[in-house]
Amino acid sequence: MEFRLLGPVEATIADHPVQLGGVKPRTLLAALLVEHGHVVPAERLVDVIWGDGPPGTARAVLQTYVSTLRRSLGGGVGTAIVTRSPGYLIRIGAATLDRDLFEEMLAQGRWAATAGRHEEAVELIRRAGGQWRGAALGGVESELLAGEAARLEELRLTAVEERTGIELLLGRTEQVAAELTDLVRRHPFRERMRGQLMRALSALGRRPDALAVYRDGRESMVDELGIEPGPEIQAIHEAILREEPDRHRPPPSA
């Protein structure tokens, strides 16, 4: 059995989707998976599912949702939703959770990068990113789960920045420039990402484009956030203005 949080919340058995019911049972499953192996108090589950306005029958309905999920997941070997005071926990046994796979592969990629194994690091971090299918915890409606969704999204973008940074070290400037052009458009205030795009464009001999990327970002930050770009991206901008070599790149071999 596989569980998925990095996109629409899903469960599959032998690659066949499990019918989870409506939004609320799906939200319950997401809340249990986020803390799998740990007891989630029934009171918290009620808050996750209904927010500030739970019905008077919330506890009884919660029990119904738990029973429904148990039946739906019954074919998953090693998977169980267990009643344990003061609430419930889910054991996923040999099942896989895409969030855990993502974080594990990202950690391995970071370790490889620290050890100087850059090609391996890129491959591992790219595989980690391949776990994503859309916005985290898609299809659930819960303010209490929004923090986990935001944490995962930030980690995803950080992983992209770490991978593209390594790829710049490897000289993959065209690939990085193509990928980051769209990402910077969608995430205009991520300065690390914007700085990497500037470096890639400059390395490709597209100095005016690199300077324009900085100028556009600065205008957006000043107009919408009322702040100037940070020191790191300013240093990249100044280095491009002075046509200095990229200090992040290794020197060419003799």
Side-chain angles (χ1 to χ4, degrees):
M1 173 169 275
E2 295 183 352
F3 293 99
R4 298 169 180 167
L5 295 177
L6 305 182
V9 174
E10 295 177 348
T12 62
I13 299 176
D15 293 328
H16 296 290
V18 174
Q19 297 302 313
L20 300 176
V23 172
K24 287 182 170 57
R26 194 176 299 269
T27 301
L28 168 61
L29 177 61
L32 293 172
L33 287 172
V34 163
E35 301 186 45
H36 70 85
H38 301 279
V39 176
V40 185
E43 182 177 348
R44 174 170 172 78
L45 291 172
V46 168
D47 290 340
V48 167
I49 295 169
W50 284 282
D52 294 333
T57 58
R59 288 297 187 99
V61 177
L62 173 62
Q63 292 175 357
T64 300
Y65 290 158
V66 169
S67 297
T68 300
L69 284 177
R70 280 173 173 157
R71 288 194 298 271
S72 297
L73 302 175
V77 177
T79 300
I81 298 177
V82 179
T83 302
R84 182 172 296 174
S85 181
Y88 303 92
L89 66 83
I90 188 169
R91 295 193 182 114
I92 60 177
T96 57
L97 177 61
D98 58 359
R99 181 200 63 180
D100 295 350
L101 292 171
F102 165 69
E103 292 184 336
E104 180 181 348
M105 283 188 282
L106 176 57
Q108 292 173 354
R110 286 170 166 172
W111 179 259
T114 300
R117 302 195 303 272
H118 294 136
E119 297 275 1
E120 179 184 349
V122 166
E123 177 60 25
L124 283 165
I125 299 175
R126 190 179 294 280
R127 285 172 54 200
Q131 295 294 319
W132 286 76
R133 298 164 293 109
L137 278 70
V140 305
E141 299 174 0
S142 172
E143 291 184 6
L144 291 182
L145 292 180
E148 174 67 0
R151 181 190 75 85
L152 289 169
E153 176 64 13
E154 174 62 27
L155 190 57
R156 181 184 75 84
L157 292 173
T158 298
V160 170
E161 291 168 340
E162 291 178 10
R163 174 178 55 77
T164 51
I166 298 168
E167 291 189 287
L168 282 176
L169 282 173
L170 294 171
R172 300 175 183 176
T173 49
E174 289 189 20
Q175 179 179 325
V176 169
E179 180 177 2
L180 290 183
T181 296
D182 179 61
L183 284 170
V184 167
R185 179 185 57 80
R186 290 191 280 124
H187 305 282
F189 302 125
R190 294 194 71 89
E191 292 191 5
R192 183 179 182 185
M193 196 174 280
R194 187 175 293 273
Q196 289 177 345
L197 176 57
M198 291 165 59
R199 290 171 50 208
L201 291 171
S202 179
L204 290 170
R206 296 170 56 185
R207 183 168 168 267
D209 292 336
L211 296 173
V213 167
Y214 176 83
R215 183 172 60 252
D216 291 345
R218 179 183 179 278
E219 288 176 357
S220 295
M221 293 186 71
V222 171
D223 291 345
E224 299 184 38
L225 304 180
I227 59 175
E228 290 284 343
E232 183 174 344
I233 194 170
Q234 286 190 38
I236 295 172
H237 177 244
E238 291 168 5
I240 294 172
L241 281 173
R242 293 194 295 266
E243 300 187 65
E244 295 177 355
D246 188 343
R247 60 184 175 85
H248 299 278
R249 289 280 304 277
S253 57

